[in-house]
Amino acid sequence: MAAAEESALASCGCKGIRSCRVCEDLNEKRRPEDKGDSARGDFKYEPSSGLAVRWNEGGEHESFPFPGVLLWEDFVSEEEERDLVNRIDQDEWKESQSGRKKQDFGPKVNFKKQRVRTGTFSGLPAVSRKFVLRMSQEPLLHGFQPVEQCNLDYSPQRGSAIDPHLDDSWLWGERLVTVNLLSDTVITMSVEEGQREVRVCVDFPRRSLLVLHGEARHKWKHAIHRQDIHQRRVCSTFRELSSAFLPAGEYEALGSQLLDIALSFQGSPV
C-alpha cells in the first residue's frame, strides 16, 4: 500500500457506536453485528415489474408491490463519470461516520432544534448544473429543485457503510435523488412489521440515478452494508425542500433564500 494511502486510512470520523475498519483495528473494537449478511436471502427489487420478489429453494416465489423507487440507468456516461469524479476530488474530503468521507454543499442545520442557517453555504457546485437540468427530463422529477448536495466516498479498505435510517422530513422534501459513481452497490431497504424485519435489496448500478419517494422515502429505512462496497464508490445525494419551506409554507422566506443560493451553482463545500 502506498504511503499516501496508508496515511489516508490512519484516521476516521466515527463517534459513539459507529465504527469502521480503521478504528476497529486501532482500538481493537468489536464491530456491531451487520444484518446485511442475512438480507441476502430476503426480497430483491425488480425494476421492470416494481415488485419485491423472493425465491425459495423449491423454485417458488412470493412477491409484493414495492412502490417509491425509480432507477435511471446510465444517467451519466463513462466520460462524464471520469470528469465528474476528477472535479469532485479537487475539493477537500472530510472524515465522516462509519468509514465514509464527505463533502457538504448545503445550509447548516440543527434537526433536533429545527433550526437552519445559511452560514457559509454558497450554493451547489458548478459541475452539478447540467445534471440537475437533466434530472428534470424525468416526469417524476418535474419541478425538482435541490437545495443540498452531499457527496460521499466509500472504500472497502475503510469498511465504509451507512446504517439503516430515514432522512429528515421537516426540512427535506418528498424526493431523495442519488447518483452512483465508480462501482455498483446495493441499497438495502428495511421495515419492521410486528416482530420481524422485512428487507428488500435494490441493485444500484454504476453511473445510475436512484429516486426514493413515497413509501420508500418515508416508511422504509435505507442502508448500504459493508459487504456491498467492493471498490471505491462516490455518490452525490440531492435533497429538495419540504412544503414548509415552499410558497405558502411557514418558512417560505427562508426557503426562497436557500433556493436562490443553491441554484446559483457557485458553491464550495461547507
Side-chain angles (χ1 to χ4, degrees), residues 143-155:
F144 182 72
Q145 293 184 296
V147 75
E148 192 228 30
Q149 177 179 337
C150 181
N151 298 335
L152 292 172
D153 181 307
Y154 288 73
S155 162

Side-chain angles (χ1 to χ4, degrees), residues 249-261:
E250 182 179 357
Y251 308 103
E252 175 184 357
L254 176 57
S256 177
Q257 181 185 6
L258 293 173
L259 278 171
D260 285 345
I261 297 171

Side-chain angles (χ1 to χ4, degrees), residues 124-184:
L124 272 59
V127 70
S128 296
R129 184 192 294 268
K130 73 174 182 178
F131 299 110
V132 170
L133 180 61
R134 185 178 300 171
M135 292 173 193
S136 65
Q137 298 173 15
E138 163 57 46
L140 178 64
L141 293 177
H142 177 72
F144 182 72
Q145 293 184 296
V147 75
E148 192 228 30
Q149 177 179 337
C150 181
N151 298 335
L152 292 172
D153 181 307
Y154 288 73
S155 162
Q157 288 79 20
R158 297 194 306 268
S160 302
I162 189 165
D163 291 340
H165 66 284
L166 291 171
D167 277 36
D168 168 79
S169 57
W170 167 70
L171 177 61
W172 307 136
E174 173 64 18
R175 297 162 291 189
L176 302 178
V177 179
T178 301
V179 178
N180 187 46
L181 305 170
L182 295 183
S183 63
D184 300 343

Side-chain angles (χ1 to χ4, degrees), residues 55 78 85-86 102 107 119-120 141 150 221 228 234 258 265:
W55 297 82
E78 293 184 17
V85 173
N86 285 338
K102 68 178 179 179
T120 57
L141 293 177
C150 181
K221 294 180 179 180
D228 291 321
V234 171
L258 293 173
F265 292 99

